[in-house]
Amino acid sequence: MTSSPSAPLGARARARTEVTAAIKDAARRQLAAEGAARLSLRAVARELGMVSSALYRYFPSRDDLLTALITDAYDSLGEAAETAHARVADAASLRRWTAVCEAVRHWALAHPHEYALIYGTPVPGYSAPDATVPAASRVGLLLLGVARDAHERGELTAPPLPPELAPEADRMAADLAPGLPPAAMPSLIAAWAQLFGLVGFELFGQFERVVEAREEFFRHAAVRLGRAAGLTGEDT
Amino acid sequence: MTSSPSAPLGARARARTEVTAAIKDAARRQLAAEGAARLSLRAVARELGMVSSALYRYFPSRDDLLTALITDAYDSLGEAAETAHARVADAASLRRWTAVCEAVRHWALAHPHEYALIYGTPVPGYSAPDATVPAASRVGLLLLGVARDAHERGELTAPPLPPELAPEADRMAADLAPGLPPAAMPSLIAAWAQLFGLVGFELFGQFERVVEAREEFFRHAAVRLGRAAGLTGEDT
DNA sequence: CACAAGAGAGAGCACTGCTCTTGCGAAGGG
DNA sequence: CCCTTCGCAAGAGCAGTGCTCTCTCTTGTG
């Protein structure tokens, strides 16, 4: 224990957090330049003028460094989506929905390797060590929030639901979005996943020779995604 | 050149193709067990009782081995989808659509690492060296084929299209599916990408604590995906 | 049958993640 | 104010990786 929290914090601890940040920065640079597969602890150490073994004082393993980067990436994407949403907070529901979708796409195009890190192949065997869960949920929760507002304004109509999906829909609503009609949940969750299908395909080259007018294509797809999720009204 | 094609083929060439196949088999086993990141040339060689340098007679680099596995994976998925489709060749369009979707999902669940290899993060920097294109297109073309049949039966209604997307839609129809109404193309392409969003999210753990009744959820989502793509009629 | 071409072995280079030991210097208690 | 502890970095080293080069021997083929 060192003194009170968020106070002086001890010169030693301060240095530690600084070095930790420097390591993450260098790692993020390498990640952006070369991708997660080529991220090397030794190269990071070299860039910082330290020796590789010294890094292990800050991150017990390469995977832990990656986990830190993953959480940061989720947060960065979540924040980008949230600020984009805030910028159109007064618009109609569908407009806000597409704003979030486009923010996700733009962030992904701007940070392809970080996007790959969080929505591509899970890197080490697999992971997602629970600590990443809140950060990972931000975009999904944001979309659900848009839907909830739409519901309150009467701009959400749940599509018909097959009876065998009713209990699952009830559970989803109870767990994830109390206040939303259960029948709307499956479509919303599906739209969330489908959004990342669109983004991932564009980013990972699947649209090569298939979709040329990417911007217009995505904008249209986002609107239709919102409609499929139950949003009504104009996309002004 | 050795003799006529597909004839005796020379005992030497035969041995070569056999060893090549054995290498790919061993590599595929390792891929399925450990994932692409942990696939090691030396381990493959060990399993085959050869020395690592001998492998380079057959694959000039690790990435070339991976590329071969990628093509095989695309083909395996494509074949699975095609046989599943053939099995319901007489059913209504929407039923055939969902059959393909479910085949994709089941193949992915059965071959997670191979799915990750082709639809996850591009492994080495990036690749897709054109040789993979035909294999990679099979599922997409199959879905377009379902749509074309539906169109001929009058079971496809193109959704409204914003005017700025019209030229792109024309190009898509001309390049990918002559015989389909251009206005249907963007929705079909989007549905194709969105299908893999659903599958990828389930496979990569994004549905943890979110979707529990995966089977029912996906079946419903696939139907709605087909409807969003323009398919009408029953999903018998 | 002679011989070149093909295939495998082995050593070695540069690199990786990670561990363990050693020395140093600053932080903090008596 | 001294002295001890503790955090930090360095270095050597281990096991593993992809890949190259050279050498040898087998084997199919003209």
Side-chain angles (χ1 to χ4, degrees):
Chain A
M1 286 299 141
T2 62
S3 64
S4 71
S6 86
L9 196 64
R12 199 145 208 169
R14 180 204 312 279
R16 186 177 176 81
T17 67
E18 258 172 36
V19 176
T20 307
I23 293 174
K24 286 208 291 189
D25 273 15
R28 204 179 344 262
R29 260 194 302 278
Q30 230 180 85
L31 174 68
E34 302 264 25
R38 297 221 199 294
L39 191 158
S40 143
L41 272 191
R42 296 179 108 113
V44 170
R46 233 164 350 219
E47 185 177 329
L48 267 60
M50 25 184 3
V51 90
S52 75
S53 58
L55 284 197
Y56 287 83
R57 300 258 168 208
Y58 299 88
F59 295 94
S61 82
R62 197 193 102 117
D63 283 0
D64 289 270
L65 213 197
L66 274 180
T67 303
L69 294 183
I70 287 176
T71 314
D72 286 5
Y74 273 127
D75 269 324
S76 168
L77 168 61
E79 198 180 307
E82 281 164 16
T83 71
H85 173 258
R87 206 169 298 138
V88 294
D90 298 328
S93 303
L94 195 54
R95 175 76 191 87
R96 298 199 286 152
W97 173 278
T98 58
V100 173
C101 292
E102 304 217 42
V104 169
R105 171 171 179 267
H106 282 128
W107 186 93
L109 291 177
H111 309 82
H113 285 120
E114 294 180 67
Y115 181 90
L117 187 63
I118 55 183
Y119 289 110
T121 311
V123 210
Y126 69 147
S127 55
D130 276 23
T132 70
V133 169
S137 322
R138 287 175 68 171
V139 170
L141 292 179
L142 186 55
L143 290 174
L144 285 179
V146 172
R148 190 194 335 252
D149 283 8
H151 176 56
E152 285 163 7
R153 301 188 199 180
E155 294 180 1
L156 184 76
T157 65
L161 197 68
E164 72 268 22
L165 211 52
E168 173 76 348
D170 289 343
R171 191 201 52 76
M172 284 173 164
D175 285 6
L176 305 168
L180 274 177
M185 293 304 296
S187 300
L188 282 165
I189 305 285
W192 167 63
Q194 290 167 8
L195 163 64
F196 287 89
L198 290 167
V199 173
F201 261 34
E202 175 172 357
L203 203 64
F204 294 160
Q206 230 84 27
F207 280 171
E208 220 70 33
R209 274 168 243 283
V210 176
V211 180
E212 301 280 342
R214 309 268 163 93
E215 197 94 31
E216 295 84 347
F217 175 82
F218 183 86
R219 193 186 316 276
H220 180 55
V223 171
R224 291 186 47 85
L225 212 49
R227 291 245 163 79
L231 296 181
T232 60
E234 293 304 311
D235 54 330
T236 47
Chain B
M1 286 305 137
T2 62
S3 65
S4 70
S6 87
L9 196 66
R12 200 145 207 170
R14 181 205 311 283
R16 186 176 175 80
T17 67
E18 258 172 37
V19 175
T20 308
I23 293 174
K24 285 209 292 187
D25 273 16
R28 205 180 341 263
R29 259 194 302 280
Q30 231 181 84
L31 175 67
E34 302 264 27
R38 297 222 198 295
L39 190 158
S40 144
L41 272 192
R42 297 180 106 113
V44 170
R46 229 168 306 157
E47 184 177 329
L48 267 60
M50 19 180 15
V51 90
S52 77
S53 60
L55 284 197
Y56 287 84
R57 300 255 172 218
Y58 300 88
F59 294 94
S61 83
R62 196 193 103 117
D63 283 359
D64 289 88
L65 214 198
L66 273 180
T67 304
L69 294 183
I70 288 175
T71 314
D72 287 4
Y74 272 127
D75 270 323
S76 166
L77 169 62
E79 198 180 307
E82 281 163 16
T83 71
H85 173 258
R87 207 169 299 140
V88 294
D90 298 328
S93 304
L94 194 54
R95 174 78 191 87
R96 297 199 287 153
W97 173 278
T98 58
V100 173
C101 292
E102 303 216 44
V104 169
R105 172 172 177 265
H106 282 129
W107 186 92
L109 292 177
H111 309 83
H113 285 120
E114 294 180 66
Y115 181 91
L117 187 62
I118 56 184
Y119 288 110
T121 311
V123 208
Y126 69 145
S127 55
D130 277 22
T132 70
V133 169
S137 322
R138 287 175 69 171
V139 170
L141 292 179
L142 185 57
L143 290 174
L144 285 180
V146 172
R148 189 193 335 252
D149 284 6
H151 176 55
E152 286 163 6
R153 302 188 198 180
E155 293 180 2
L156 182 77
T157 64
L161 197 67
E164 71 268 23
L165 211 51
E168 174 76 349
D170 289 343
R171 191 200 52 76
M172 284 173 165
D175 285 6
L176 306 168
L180 273 177
M185 293 304 296
S187 300
L188 283 165
I189 304 285
W192 166 63
Q194 289 167 7
L195 163 62
F196 288 88
L198 290 167
V199 172
F201 262 35
E202 175 173 356
L203 201 63
F204 295 159
Q206 229 84 27
F207 279 171
E208 221 70 33
R209 273 169 244 283
V210 176
V211 180
E212 301 280 343
R214 310 266 163 95
E215 197 94 32
E216 296 84 347
F217 175 82
F218 183 85
R219 192 185 316 275
H220 180 55
V223 172
R224 290 185 50 82
L225 211 48
R227 292 246 161 79
L231 297 181
T232 60
E234 292 304 310
D235 54 328
T236 48

